[in-house]
Amino acid sequence: MFEESGEDLTPISRLGEFGLIEHMTKEFVVHNPAVLMGIGDDAAVYAVSDTTAHVVTTDLLVEGVHFDLRYVPMKHLGYKAVVVNLSDIYAMNAKPFGITVSVALSSRFTVEAMDEFYAGVQIACDHYDVDLLGGDTSSSRTGMLVSVTAIGSANKSDIVYRSGANEHDLLCVSGDLGAAYAGLQVLEREKEVYLKNPALQPDLVGRDYVVGRQLKPEARGDIIRILREHGVKPSAMIDVSDGLASDLLHICKKSKKGATIYEDKLPIDHEVLLVAEDMKIASLAMALNGGEDYELLFTVPLEFYDKVKALKGITIIGHIVEEIAGVNLITANGSMVAVQAQGWNHFKD
């Protein structure tokens, strides 16, 4: 039914994840007038009344690609599967209220293992005050696959898109950057040690923070609440899932703007610096390209400078400029370097 000639075929890796999405969806048009945002943001948006909209997002986690069960506990996996979707809802300046969870499993999984997985799902639902609304199960021949869909709501006027950044807006980020990637490097290193000698126990001393950021990330609904309490509405927003560089470029592309960020303004935890030194990886590379931090990257009008500067847990890392200026990093020594997307790409060779 789906025959290919074998000649002049384009490998998916040439397009990459986002290029593939654009290629596959470029001919689709929105038919329903209730749809305010289809493809192209952290979540789709559709109106449910004159004032209220729902937002919906879905994410796929594949064993061997997104998680390794040799060091990821099932309970943590269940929790993380929920959180990564709730993060997209918060990135739209909305509040999540429900999820569906679909799972495909090979025969090596037990009922007890799935009890642990759904215990993690339940903990996340309780913590973020969302309901499990349904899902699906299926068999798999190659391990485990998890798909979660999250639904949220907001006033239509409160929703924030990637496309709203304006010249001179402040560029802000919550929390710190690079910790999840640092944690992944630690876990992968200890896995290799274990595979060579199962008698050795993993050495995670002094790495609790970064390992925790990898195994049990949190969605930053607290930042959304803080901004709202102080009367600050972002002009554009995205969650940092693919790395600061990649996600900043998403905002700039959708907003048709450029940006300038500063190396000495990037928030990097001390433990990340230690891991970077230990692994001989530049901490700047971890912060820019690590991914899976699930912090919020957002822009706010310059008039909110004093308010945002005083808010704990938020760092101003740069500003928005005209599109022709490009997206650049000012290094610690004052050099200007073009920001390139080198974060997570599902289809790299």
Side-chain angles (χ1 to χ4, degrees):
M1 182 176 180
F2 298 103
E3 294 183 359
E4 295 178 341
S5 67
E7 299 179 0
D8 300 323
L9 298 179
T10 305
I12 290 175
S13 59
R14 186 177 300 171
L15 297 181
E17 178 188 3
F18 300 105
L20 178 64
I21 292 172
E22 290 182 6
H23 177 78
M24 293 189 302
T25 60
K26 63 185 177 182
E27 302 298 331
F28 284 78
V29 297
V30 174
H31 300 288
N32 192 327
V35 175
L36 306 178
M37 169 59 68
I39 297 166
D41 216 299
D42 284 87
V45 183
Y46 61 95
V48 294
S49 73
D50 290 340
T51 59
T52 305
H54 283 178
V55 296
V56 59
T57 184
T58 191
D59 211 351
L60 191 64
L61 300 178
V62 180
E63 184 180 357
V65 178
H66 302 96
F67 61 91
D68 188 332
L69 291 176
R70 283 172 290 193
Y71 55 73
V72 177
M74 290 292 281
K75 185 179 291 186
H76 286 70
L77 177 61
Y79 189 91
K80 184 173 181 176
V82 175
V83 165
V84 301
N85 283 271
L86 301 186
S87 182
D88 284 332
I89 301 295
Y90 288 126
M92 304 299 293
N93 204 34
K95 177 177 172 54
F97 65 80
I99 61 167
T100 65
V101 179
S102 297
V103 182
L105 301 165
S106 68
S107 58
R108 68 183 172 89
F109 289 88
T110 64
V111 171
E112 288 75 16
M114 295 313 298
D115 284 343
E116 285 291 294
F117 175 82
Y118 275 93
V121 171
Q122 184 174 8
I123 292 170
C125 287
D126 291 343
H127 181 70
Y128 290 97
D129 194 26
V130 300
D131 296 318
L132 177 62
L133 304 176
D136 194 16
T137 57
S138 176
S139 62
S140 166
R141 295 183 179 180
T142 56
M144 184 177 186
L145 180 150
V146 183
S147 178
V148 176
T149 295
I151 309 167
S153 65
N155 292 330
K156 287 196 287 188
S157 59
D158 289 337
I159 292 175
V160 175
Y161 300 95
R162 298 176 182 179
S163 57
N166 298 299
E167 195 174 341
H168 306 302
D169 279 359
L170 303 172
L171 190 57
C172 310
V173 70
S174 66
D176 56 74
L177 301 166
Y181 181 77
L184 178 62
Q185 298 310 300
V186 171
L187 290 167
E188 285 287 339
R189 179 188 65 186
E190 295 308 310
K191 181 188 76 173
E192 292 304 316
V193 171
Y194 173 79
L195 291 176
K196 291 178 181 178
N197 186 353
L200 293 177
Q201 294 298 310
D203 181 13
L204 304 178
V205 175
R207 302 293 181 259
D208 295 353
Y209 178 68
V210 296
V211 169
R213 287 290 300 274
Q214 171 58 220
L215 295 181
K216 189 177 176 290
E218 300 294 350
R220 299 309 306 265
D222 58 323
I223 296 296
I224 298 301
R225 290 190 295 273
I226 289 171
L227 292 173
R228 190 166 296 149
E229 288 169 0
H230 287 82
V232 178
K233 180 187 174 183
S235 49
M237 188 154 54
I238 190 172
D239 78 326
V240 183
S241 56
D242 297 305
L244 175 67
S246 293
D247 293 315
L248 173 58
L249 289 170
H250 289 322
I251 284 182
C252 291
K253 181 178 181 180
K254 289 294 182 179
S255 298
K256 295 182 172 57
K257 295 291 185 294
T260 301
I261 59 174
Y262 298 86
E263 179 181 1
D264 59 3
K265 301 293 186 184
L266 299 182
I268 303 175
D269 188 83
H270 178 66
E271 202 169 294
V272 174
L273 299 177
L274 293 177
V275 172
E277 182 179 6
D278 187 30
M279 299 283 187
K280 295 180 172 54
I281 302 174
S283 58
L284 177 60
M286 287 186 171
L288 287 175
N289 304 311
E292 288 199 299
D293 286 315
Y294 300 106
E295 298 293 349
L296 293 174
L297 175 67
F298 58 95
T299 59
V300 298
L302 186 58
E303 65 192 76
F304 290 123
Y305 175 82
D306 289 335
K307 282 188 176 182
V308 172
K309 186 71 175 176
L311 295 179
K312 186 177 180 180
I314 295 175
T315 304
I316 300 171
I317 63 171
H319 57 276
I320 298 297
V321 299
E322 59 182 344
E323 185 176 23
I324 195 172
V327 182
N328 297 290
L329 168 78
I330 306 301
T331 65
N333 62 15
S335 301
M336 178 181 289
V337 180
V339 173
Q340 298 181 340
Q342 298 178 354
W344 176 249
N345 182 347
H346 295 275
F347 301 108
K348 280 182 180 177
D349 289 328

